[in-house]
Amino acid sequence: MNDILATSATRRDTLQRLLGAGALALPGVTLPLGARADEATARAFESQRAAHPWTQAYVGVQADVAAMPMTLHGKLPTGLHGAFLRNGPARHALGGTRYHHWFDGDGLMQRYTLGAQGITHEGRFVRTEKFVADTAAGRPMSSGFGTFLADAKPPTGPDSLNTANTSVVKHAGELMALWEGGSAYRLDEKTLETRGIKTWSPDFAGVPFSAHPRIEPDGTLWNFGVSAMAGRLAIYRVRPDGVLATATTLPVPDIAMVHDFAVTEKHLVFLLPPLVFDVARMKSGTSFLDAHVWKPQLGLRVLVLPKDALDKPQWFDLPAGFVFHIGNAWEDKDGVIRLDCMRASDAWNATTGLKELMRGHFAIEEFAQLTLIEVDLKAKRARQQVLPQRSEFPRIDPRYTGRRHQQVFAALRLSPGDRPGYDAVMRHDIGRGQTDHYRYGADVMVEEHLFVPRPGSTREGDGWVLGSALDLARGRTLFSVFEAQRLADGPVAQAEMPRLMPFGLHAIHVPA
């Protein structure tokens, strides 16, 4: 393990060339000329809007969203005051140019404030370097994760493309908007104003810091970052007081697209799908996403790193599959790591499906399913069990991160018809194999819901499930509160407002 104890200018320069700005320099690249394909994307999307109400979720907004009190039905539980913060791509088009992939929109931080007066909603864009430059120009100036613009301004480093649009975390008193290919952005918790880039150390300035940090019960934060051009994985350990304790990088052969990871009491666990970065493709002039190649012969590789020996990786193999999100992982007394995730048989949704949505097209392909994985460290083998629930955005009781848990909460796809997304929220008991769910209805698109513990309780799952959803038929955004152990009873409180927000990604709850 390479603890950061000293910094030299030479080492810093080398690391940043390897993982940061230098990693995106593409000497000798000749970018193809041609028509702006993004204008065709905009025309295609507009042509589909009247026929497909679900497209409302991907129109996006162009400016900050003013505060609006929501109409509350029912009563908020005592002790549930605070803020529910959701991040997500929201400016999908600018100056007639529409991004090709859902993940390319600029990040909008939405806040639902829960208090004695009810629930109020507002939203503010993260003022990233890219957002400011694009706004000034009146059109996108840079290519994105899944959008290649032939006349784009060359990137100067990961943060010149950073949209800060994926997730949000509060750690050591600091609120941050997260992407996965660049730095975290610091935000003012009261105003949501952007304070600037978070630099964990001079050595790791601009090095990717993923959107899925894991915070252990003692407050220790672990995270990772993938530097595809360099073929390396960065690992961070941040103390509960916010001070960087450890940062290191390690080479990973056939480095893959990795969005999430898990921690146990002794290990870090990564699932590497066979969606492999190809430097030659990137240099030929394509989007970062399209520079990846599906190589099923590699299988779904499991990388296990001991927390106290990050330079001693262990590898395990599973059948090929693609994973965006992991619920949790823990290890038993026999050294078997047990992990739950959402697994699809291939990466079609990431590489194609989420592009088609931006053109107003939806194709019914395979959806991710809840999957249980066992990694036997002693026997050196791994196996998986794919369950029937078609679901995404798994969350657990956060007090059980890295520890044995029984319950997973997630958005569930039951029968929404011919449209993308989810129409229900579920709680699945892993030990009993039982699922409790609430179905909003075919016309409602369900966003990620999360579990919030009841103050003073210690029992797993004792608390509430909170989340937002888009009522497409009524043009309203909903915010619901459920008793976590009685989802099927429906929300104990639900608020609504007459504006439909862009479909978002990950959220947190910050107590008052």
Side-chain angles (χ1 to χ4, degrees):
M1 184 182 300
N2 300 322
D3 288 347
I4 292 181
L5 299 177
T7 299
S8 72
T10 299
R11 180 187 171 197
R12 182 182 306 162
D13 291 347
T14 300
L15 183 63
Q16 290 181 351
R17 281 200 301 274
L18 184 64
L19 301 173
L24 286 180
L26 302 174
V29 173
T30 301
L31 301 181
L33 299 177
R36 295 177 63 84
D38 45 294
E39 294 176 352
T41 302
R43 289 194 297 272
F45 183 76
E46 289 301 320
S47 72
Q48 297 296 316
R49 287 185 59 183
H52 302 294
W54 61 263
T55 56
Q56 299 173 83
Y58 301 95
V59 172
V61 296
Q62 293 293 306
D64 296 335
V65 181
M68 175 182 283
M70 301 181 75
T71 301
L72 180 63
H73 307 284
K75 184 178 179 181
L76 288 176
T78 302
L80 189 59
H81 295 172
F84 179 97
L85 295 158
R86 182 185 300 288
N87 196 358
R91 190 167 71 172
H92 296 301
L94 183 64
T97 297
R98 182 170 172 82
Y99 290 116
H100 301 177
H101 197 284
W102 178 37
F103 290 171
D104 286 333
D106 296 287
L108 179 75
M109 189 65 66
Q110 298 182 59
R111 176 167 58 201
Y112 297 82
T113 302
L114 286 64
Q117 305 304 315
I119 300 177
T120 299
H121 172 269
E122 60 192 317
R124 189 175 179 86
F125 277 104
V126 185
R127 264 57 172 185
T128 62
E129 176 185 336
K130 183 178 187 306
F131 180 91
V132 172
D134 290 354
T135 302
R139 66 180 180 87
M141 299 294 290
S142 306
S143 294
F145 165 82
T147 303
F148 177 77
L149 301 179
D151 58 354
K153 179 181 176 183
T156 58
D159 284 328
S160 66
L161 310 178
N162 191 343
T163 50
N165 68 359
T166 309
S167 189
V168 53
V169 67
K170 184 179 180 182
H171 186 252
E174 196 162 48
L175 184 70
M176 292 169 277
L178 304 176
W179 195 42
E180 65 180 46
S183 304
Y185 263 87
R186 298 180 295 114
L187 303 179
D188 185 295
E189 187 171 338
K190 291 184 179 179
T191 65
L192 298 182
E193 291 179 348
T194 303
R195 288 180 169 173
I197 283 175
K198 173 72 175 181
T199 300
W200 298 98
S201 81
D203 277 7
F204 277 65
V207 175
F209 186 84
S210 97
H212 283 283
R214 296 281 173 168
I215 301 176
E216 297 181 310
D218 71 351
T220 298
L221 180 150
W222 288 89
N223 202 7
F224 71 97
V226 173
S227 181
M229 291 292 289
R232 299 185 74 89
L233 185 68
I235 305 290
Y236 303 84
R237 180 168 65 91
V238 184
R239 297 187 334 207
D241 62 1
V243 175
L244 181 66
T246 303
T248 189
T249 71
L250 64 154
V252 174
D254 294 316
I255 198 159
M257 186 176 292
V258 182
H259 179 68
D260 196 359
F261 80 130
V263 300
T264 72
E265 292 182 351
K266 297 179 181 178
H267 295 90
L268 311 182
V269 187
F270 297 85
L271 303 178
L272 280 71
L275 189 62
V276 177
F277 183 73
D278 186 323
V279 175
R281 278 197 179 201
M282 190 76 186
K283 290 184 175 181
S284 71
T286 186
S287 72
F288 177 77
L289 173 64
D290 292 335
H292 286 76
V293 183
W294 183 250
K295 294 184 176 180
Q297 65 272 23
L298 293 177
L300 177 65
R301 292 173 294 162
V302 184
L303 170 61
V304 178
L305 299 175
K307 287 180 174 176
D308 59 357
L310 296 175
D311 57 348
K312 294 182 171 53
Q314 299 179 61
W315 290 93
F316 302 84
D317 297 317
L318 287 169
F322 185 82
V323 173
F324 266 133
H325 297 118
I326 297 172
N328 192 34
W330 59 281
E331 51 197 284
D332 65 21
K333 59 182 175 55
D334 296 321
V336 177
I337 294 175
R338 302 178 187 279
L339 176 149
D340 51 85
C341 66
M342 301 304 181
R343 175 193 177 280
S345 61
D346 60 38
W348 182 90
N349 188 48
T351 60
T352 305
L354 296 180
K355 278 185 176 178
E356 288 298 305
L357 296 185
M358 300 305 288
R359 295 172 55 82
H361 297 155
F362 170 67
I364 298 178
E365 296 280 345
E366 183 190 48
F367 289 86
Q369 293 175 249
L370 178 60
T371 300
L372 308 180
I373 291 175
E374 293 181 0
V375 181
D376 191 327
L377 300 179
K378 294 179 180 176
K380 301 187 183 305
R381 66 180 178 224
R383 62 183 180 182
Q384 66 183 13
Q385 178 186 7
V386 181
L387 303 181
Q389 290 88 352
R390 297 187 296 176
S391 47
E392 253 300 355
F393 302 125
R395 300 295 293 258
I396 65 158
D397 185 330
R399 299 169 297 185
Y400 287 76
T401 298
R403 300 167 53 196
R404 181 172 185 171
H405 70 295
Q406 286 283 108
Q407 301 180 27
V408 177
F409 303 89
L412 177 66
R413 184 176 176 88
L414 289 176
S415 54
D418 187 17
R419 69 156 175 84
Y422 305 89
D423 56 330
V425 58
M426 76 168 185
R427 175 179 58 82
H428 182 74
D429 188 311
I430 296 172
R432 295 183 176 88
Q434 299 173 346
T435 299
D436 176 29
H437 75 265
Y438 171 78
R439 182 169 181 257
Y440 281 85
D443 293 329
V444 178
M445 290 183 71
V446 176
E447 300 185 287
E448 178 188 68
H449 282 47
L450 56 87
F451 173 82
V452 176
R454 195 184 314 275
S457 74
T458 57
R459 180 167 54 88
E460 182 189 1
D462 184 13
W464 306 283
V465 170
L466 280 61
S468 50
L470 309 182
D471 187 332
L472 302 172
R474 300 171 61 230
R476 292 179 173 254
T477 299
L478 311 176
F479 187 87
S480 303
V481 178
F482 300 85
E483 278 289 340
Q485 299 304 309
R486 297 197 300 274
L487 289 181
D489 291 348
V492 295
Q494 187 175 76
E496 62 179 57
M497 62 179 175
R499 62 185 180 195
L500 207 55
M501 297 308 301
F503 196 74
L505 288 168
H506 301 296
I508 61 171
H509 175 259
V510 178

